[in-house]
Amino acid sequence: MDSTHSPAGEAPELENIESEPEAAAEIFGDRIELARRFAGHLATTGVEWGLLGPRELPRLWSRHILNCAVMAELLDDSDVVGDIGSGAGLPGIALAIARPNTRFVLVEAMERRVEWLQMVVDDLDLDNVRIVRSRVEELVDEEIFTVATARAVKSLPVLIEWCTPVLGPDGRLLAIKGQSYEAEIKKAAKHIKRYRLSQPKVHTLGTEFLEVPTTVLELRRR
């Protein structure tokens, strides 16, 4: 397969790619084919362009796509979601597939990643997604989000500093975090107070079908 034309979206025939879990159809519903095509992009050009490590293919669905998509239950159709440091479209594209009526803005500073995101969004025909090449700090007074999402971007104190200025009144930061989230919350105490945010609410998502459930910290502007 010519890697520059893999947007045909078919899942690659690779021996080490994780089989699609049964839960994927439950999460994505009638848009499961789009999720499969997204997986195909990640496993081919996503790896070739350096957005995803080849060692991640054996857990492509469970650790990446579904790990992100389970956060869809925390969003509303009326939300405007800024996906900060969108990179490989995780969680932004996965969520946009799962929530077609919610608007998403993928915020990414690196040109090559923006090109890849645009290629994937165009191929999947995601009309609820817009891509902005910028650092989130540069979007103050230009973009306002009801929700900011982030995964593997920065520590919680930095995310608070970056994201709060682009959140509207009662806006929320949803940060996917690992097992050290409690330590991050402690380190962010001063930032939470300075930026007048609620104390973090911890969501544990996907417990019924993910071996490692997704931990999301939710902080709301007061």
Side-chain angles (χ1 to χ4, degrees):
M1 180 184 295
D2 182 349
S3 65
T4 62
H5 292 87
S6 47
E10 296 181 1
E13 295 296 331
L14 299 176
E15 292 183 359
N16 63 337
I17 188 172
E18 181 181 22
S19 298
E20 175 190 319
E22 293 182 5
E26 179 181 344
I27 293 174
F28 291 106
D30 60 4
R31 290 166 69 84
I32 183 60
E33 185 56 35
L34 287 178
R36 291 168 181 157
R37 287 165 62 185
F38 179 43
H41 282 289
L42 288 170
T44 53
T45 54
V47 173
E48 292 155 10
W49 290 37
L51 282 82
L52 192 72
R55 293 183 179 179
E56 297 303 311
L57 294 183
R59 54 181 189 172
L60 178 65
W61 282 94
S62 58
R63 182 65 181 87
H64 296 285
I65 299 174
L66 298 187
N67 173 264
C68 293
V70 292
M71 194 162 61
E73 68 180 73
L74 301 180
L75 303 177
D76 297 319
D77 287 352
S78 59
D79 279 323
V80 178
V81 180
D83 186 37
I84 310 306
S86 197
L90 298 167
I93 291 180
L95 289 171
I97 294 172
R99 293 206 66 101
N101 296 320
T102 302
R103 288 182 290 162
F104 292 84
V105 180
L106 309 185
V107 180
E108 174 56 55
M110 295 181 64
E111 182 177 7
R112 187 169 177 80
R113 293 179 179 180
V114 168
E115 291 176 357
W116 187 87
L117 288 168
Q118 192 65 64
M119 178 179 70
V120 175
V121 168
D122 289 346
D123 178 60
L124 301 184
D125 195 22
L126 297 176
D127 58 8
N128 61 330
V129 175
R130 179 163 56 91
I131 300 170
V132 174
R133 185 187 175 193
S134 178
R135 298 182 183 279
V136 66
E137 312 97 289
E138 300 168 349
L139 295 180
V140 179
D141 299 327
E142 294 185 19
E143 301 277 356
I144 292 292
F145 307 121
T146 62
V147 175
T149 58
R151 178 181 187 258
V153 178
K154 289 289 184 178
S155 65
L156 187 58
V158 175
L159 284 177
I160 290 172
E161 186 174 341
W162 283 4
C163 296
T164 305
V166 296
L167 288 175
D170 207 36
R172 297 176 293 146
L173 169 62
L174 298 178
I176 297 178
K177 289 295 180 180
Q179 296 180 347
S180 61
Y181 72 88
E182 292 181 341
E184 286 201 52
I185 290 175
K186 290 181 180 179
K187 290 181 180 178
K190 292 182 179 179
H191 285 73
I192 292 170
K193 183 177 181 179
R194 181 188 310 162
Y195 286 93
R196 298 180 60 81
L197 300 175
S198 65
Q199 286 301 307
K201 182 176 181 180
V202 181
H203 299 275
T204 304
L205 308 174
T207 55
E208 64 273 33
F209 46 75
L210 291 178
E211 182 177 346
V212 180
T214 302
T215 299
V216 177
L217 303 184
E218 177 181 356
L219 295 90
R220 186 183 294 269
R221 290 195 73 171
R222 292 185 294 178

